[in-house]
Amino acid sequence: GAASAAALASNGKPTLLAQAGIHSGEIDGKDAGMMLLRDLTVGGRLAGLLDEASLLFVPILSVDGHERSSPYGRINQRGPAEMGWRTNARNLNLNRDYAKLDTPEVRAIVAAVERWRPDLYLDLHVTDGMDFQYDITFGFNGRHAWSPAIAGWLEDRLAPAVSADLAAMGHTPGPLFFPRDRNDQTKGVLEWTGSPRFSNGYGDARHLATVLVENHSLKPFGRRVLGTRVLLEAVLRTLGEHGAEL
C-alpha cells in the first residue's frame, strides 16, 4: 500500500527492485514479472509474500528497443516469436551506461534507486554467451570486489534458496560464467566481475546487493519465462525472511 518512497521506507520491510528489458530482445523478465504481479494481487496465490517484503518492478527499461520489435531481433534465440532490440533509439547500450549516465533510461533507473532505496536489485537478461545445460544462470560480483559482506549474503543465503526452488520446479540453475573462447570451450570459463558500467558492477560499487540473471537463449521461451517466475518468487521470499541480515 505504500504510494511514496517515504511510505515504503517507513514500513520496516526490505524492498526488491526488479527490472526487465534493459536489453529488450531479452524480454523474459517482463512476462515473468507480470505473472508474479498477477499472483501477488488478483490471482491471490502469493499475497502473503508482500507481508514480509516490498516489490518494485520495471517491466520494460528500454522502451525504444522494445518497440523496435521483429522476428529478427535475436535470431539465435528460441523465442518469443517477435522480440525487441538491444539498444535504444540512439543506438546506445543501456547496460554499458551506469558509470556515464548518457541515456535517459539509465538516469531514470538510477534516480529510482536513489529515491526508493531498494535493498536488493535484480537485472533480468537472456545470454547468448555459450551453450550449456543450465536454463537459468545468475550471479554477482564476489567477495573479492567492492562489497564483500553483501556478496557473502548473496552467496550463502540467496543463491542456495533460489537454486533449490528452481531445481524443485524442474529447472537447471547454474552460476553466471562466460567462456574464454566461445568457439572452443576446452580453453575454460571465467567468473566475471562486472565494472560499474554494468548494472551488477554499479550496484556492487555503491553497496547495493545486485544480481544479474541470464537465461539461456537456446532454451525455449516458455521454459525461460517460467524459470524467471520461480526465481522472482524465491528472491522475494528469501528477502522477506532474511532481509534483516542483508
Side-chain angles (χ1 to χ4, degrees):
S4 68
L8 194 72
S10 66
N11 70 12
K13 297 185 287 188
T15 298
L16 169 65
L17 169 61
Q19 75 184 27
I22 191 171
H23 294 151
S24 283
E26 309 169 25
I27 204 60
D28 303 4
K30 177 186 72 170
D31 289 346
M34 298 302 288
M35 293 168 67
L36 179 66
L37 292 181
R38 176 198 62 198
D39 292 341
L40 289 169
T41 56
V42 295
R45 292 182 52 242
L46 299 174
L49 278 184
L50 295 179
D51 293 339
E52 304 299 329
S54 301
L55 173 67
L56 302 171
F57 179 56
V58 179
I60 307 164
L61 186 59
S62 180
V63 177
D64 292 342
H66 185 272
E67 295 309 298
R68 186 182 175 183
S69 180
S70 81
Y72 311 110
R74 281 170 65 83
I75 58 174
N76 56 333
Q77 180 174 295
R78 292 184 65 187
E82 294 192 5
M83 59 201 78
W85 198 249
R86 184 170 179 82
T87 58
N88 71 0
R90 295 173 58 205
N91 202 33
L92 295 175
N93 185 336
L94 303 187
N95 199 30
R96 305 293 185 272
D97 191 40
Y98 279 83
K100 296 187 299 176
L101 300 180
D102 283 339
T103 61
E105 298 93 338
V106 178
R107 288 197 297 269
I109 197 67
V110 167
V113 168
E114 291 284 354
R115 179 184 179 199
W116 293 90
R117 311 298 293 179
D119 300 282
L120 180 58
Y121 183 22
L122 293 185
D123 188 11
L124 306 172
H125 289 250
V126 181
T127 187
D128 56 357
M130 64 186 298
D131 189 11
F132 44 59
Q133 293 307 307
Y134 307 118
D135 56 339
I136 310 288
T137 66
F138 60 94
F140 38 85
N141 283 4
R143 300 175 198 249
H144 61 280
W146 288 284
S147 304
I150 288 173
W153 186 88
L154 293 171
E155 185 176 313
D156 298 336
R157 181 66 74 186
L158 184 70
V162 172
S163 296
D165 280 9
L166 283 166
M169 294 300 291
H171 295 277
T172 307
L176 182 68
F177 63 90
F178 297 91
R180 297 179 64 91
D181 181 343
R182 69 176 60 194
N183 296 313
D184 184 1
Q185 294 183 25
T186 65
K187 294 181 180 178
V189 298
L190 299 171
E191 286 191 347
W192 176 60
T193 301
S195 74
R197 68 195 297 223
F198 302 93
S199 60
N200 54 316
Y202 172 80
D204 184 29
R206 66 172 294 156
H207 307 299
L208 167 61
T210 305
V211 177
L212 176 62
V213 179
E214 292 277 9
N215 296 345
H216 186 7
S217 62
L218 297 182
K219 302 301 185 286
F221 177 59
R223 178 177 179 83
R224 301 190 327 249
V225 169
L226 292 174
T228 308
R229 165 64 184 77
V230 172
L231 179 142
L232 287 170
E233 179 183 344
V235 169
L236 190 60
R237 178 179 295 108
T238 304
L239 182 63
E241 293 174 351
H242 302 286
E245 301 169 17
L246 176 61

